[in-house]
Amino acid sequence: MSAGGAPDVGGLLEGYGAGDLAVATVASHTAIQILLGAKREGLRTIAIAPPGRGWFYSRMWFVDDVLEMDLRELPAAAEELRSRRAVIVPHGSYVEYVGWRAAMEIRVPTFGNRYLLAWEADQRRKMSLMEEAGLRVPRTYSSPEEVDGPVIVKLYGAKGGRGYFFARDPEELRDRLRGVEGPYIIQEYVVGVPAYHHFFYSPLRGRLELFGFDVRYESNVDGRTFGLADPTFVVVGNLPLVLRESLLPSVLRDGESFASAVQERTGRPPVGPFSLESIVRDTLEVVYFEFSGRIVAGTSVYMVHGSPYSLMYFREPVDMGRRIAMEIREAAESGRLSEVVT
Ligand code: AMP
């Protein structure tokens, strides 16, 4: 084991030559985009499906193999996956189904910087990494007495925005906190529009690529609720977004600062896709409330047609699934796989 609980990558890559690699991912989230992109780059594809989910993926021409299993058993399938020279591509459901500890320890080469998963799993560490990068983040309050404006309260482990609630002022906050159990953070509620920024860090090309933006389509904040329901942020889908062009240079700089902070704290850059999640105020200040250290679901809005911003780097549009596969293929061909997997 190397520092951080992840296995030594050199050992994992034994037997992984230049060719005949497979991309394996959990059959959910962005699996269609990831596996299609892998096939288009000439890699074999494996969908790892929870019981009952495999049939859907087995109908896709670009899925070579479907392994159906209880995903908590995935670490036991590590040898089998290595014998197929598989590289796991993690995504939001992968971490959720397999668990971040198992994801950290699994003995299969994993695309990206898996140390980041541990940071992502902890709300406070997560915010501290963004602060360290010098990004503008919402204020965090340690008690209702400090609060001087609207706040959002986030219970630890809340999923898809369930378990969040709001308060306009300290009185309402104290009232609503009564009866709340378990740890939570009290955060400044930033008034503005959400924008989710997609990046790809390429160790091979030594650069951070700005790939695009999306917004989430969330149940009772985007729904036709007519004041009949409290706000909830359950993600139902995603919509594409272009940002004012004048914001792009500073957004890319923010991404680069974040990548440097990750390098500093984890000893590696945030290899591959990651996302910074923001609210843009009417002053055009971008305030970051979250990051995802892996591909986000909103990149699928550019599936096949590719992100328009990918044309800043490539002569034809590329989507995130294909971009991942390009990096894996090129790394294998140049003997640099150990730089793109952990
Ligand atoms: P999350 O599940 O953390 O992605 O958050 C769900 C939603 O809550 C996001 O899509 C944002 O729109 C909103 N949100 C989270 N934190 C804040 C904040 N500090 N200020 C304003 N909105 C927020």
Side-chain angles (χ1 to χ4, degrees):
M1 291 269 173
S2 63
D8 170 53
V9 73
L12 292 188
L13 283 173
E14 240 162 68
Y16 282 60
D20 200 28
L21 295 186
V23 159
T25 199
V26 165
S28 188
H29 197 265
T30 37
I32 297 175
Q33 192 196 160
I34 292 168
L35 298 174
L36 179 57
K39 184 51 75 182
R40 290 173 86 198
E41 287 298 308
L43 305 174
R44 282 181 298 111
T45 57
I46 304 170
I48 308 163
R53 185 80 71 83
W55 68 270
F56 182 63
Y57 290 83
S58 66
R59 293 189 184 177
M60 302 176 195
W61 67 268
F62 50 86
V63 175
D64 295 322
D65 289 302
V66 175
L67 301 180
E68 218 173 83
M69 68 174 81
D70 177 343
L71 288 165
R72 285 166 305 188
E73 305 296 323
L74 189 64
E79 214 176 305
E80 159 82 17
L81 286 167
R82 282 204 317 276
S83 74
R84 296 179 188 221
R85 288 180 299 287
V87 173
I88 289 180
V89 174
H91 53 52
S93 300
Y94 172 72
V95 179
E96 192 178 321
Y97 292 162
V98 179
W100 72 265
R101 264 180 217 285
M104 283 286 284
E105 289 169 11
I106 193 165
R107 297 191 51 77
V108 182
T110 302
F111 185 69
N113 177 349
R114 63 167 114 178
Y115 305 105
L116 207 46
L117 300 174
W119 288 79
E120 208 187 316
D122 178 327
Q123 279 275 15
R124 282 185 198 275
R125 280 181 101 191
K126 185 179 237 182
M127 296 309 293
S128 74
L129 193 54
M130 293 195 292
E131 270 176 82
E132 250 178 69
L135 304 186
R136 187 179 284 113
V137 297
R139 287 176 64 190
T140 302
Y141 304 97
S142 46
S143 77
E145 283 63 47
E146 289 177 13
V147 168
D148 53 6
V151 292
I152 178 168
V153 178
K154 302 180 175 184
L155 302 184
Y156 280 24
K159 286 210 179 79
R162 273 192 213 275
Y164 287 6
F165 62 85
F166 306 92
R168 283 177 186 278
D169 48 48
E171 288 69 48
E172 189 180 346
L173 177 61
R174 264 191 291 272
D175 213 40
R176 300 203 69 169
L177 280 175
R178 250 175 239 128
V180 171
E181 278 171 33
Y184 53 80
I185 59 170
I186 306 170
Q187 205 174 72
E188 169 192 10
Y189 183 76
V190 183
V191 178
V193 289
Y196 297 81
H197 312 199
H198 313 157
F199 295 99
F200 186 95
Y201 184 84
S202 166
L204 298 186
R205 292 168 201 247
R207 72 182 182 203
L208 184 70
E209 298 163 4
L210 175 61
F211 245 70
F213 308 91
D214 78 287
V215 271
R216 293 180 186 162
Y217 197 46
E218 293 164 322
S219 53
N220 291 355
V221 284
D222 296 316
R224 301 171 186 191
T225 54
F226 309 112
L228 298 170
D230 281 340
T232 49
F233 295 94
V234 177
V235 181
V236 178
N238 300 80
L239 303 165
L241 173 75
V242 287
L243 215 60
R244 285 171 75 119
E245 194 157 310
S246 59
L247 286 174
L248 298 181
S250 65
V251 157
L252 180 57
R253 285 270 185 252
D254 288 345
E256 287 173 344
S257 306
F258 180 75
S260 302
V262 172
Q263 166 82 52
E264 208 149 282
R265 295 309 298 263
T266 70
R268 274 184 169 252
V271 178
F274 69 92
S275 172
L276 295 178
E277 308 177 356
S278 75
I279 304 286
V280 185
R281 296 192 210 263
D282 67 352
T283 53
L284 295 179
E285 277 174 330
V286 181
V287 185
Y288 297 94
F289 62 90
E290 178 102 76
F291 76 81
S292 299
R294 33 93 193 153
I295 187 170
V296 287
T299 57
S300 287
V301 299
Y302 303 109
M303 188 159 64
V304 184
H305 303 293
S307 142
Y309 298 105
S310 65
L311 285 164
M312 299 196 294
Y313 311 102
F314 301 101
R315 286 175 194 278
E316 57 176 292
V318 177
D319 68 31
M320 196 61 97
R322 185 147 177 222
R323 183 67 190 89
I324 293 169
M326 280 168 67
E327 196 79 359
I328 295 174
R329 182 180 54 71
E330 289 172 8
E333 286 169 0
S334 54
R336 297 175 68 183
L337 259 185
S338 63
E339 291 176 50
V340 303
V341 301
T342 41

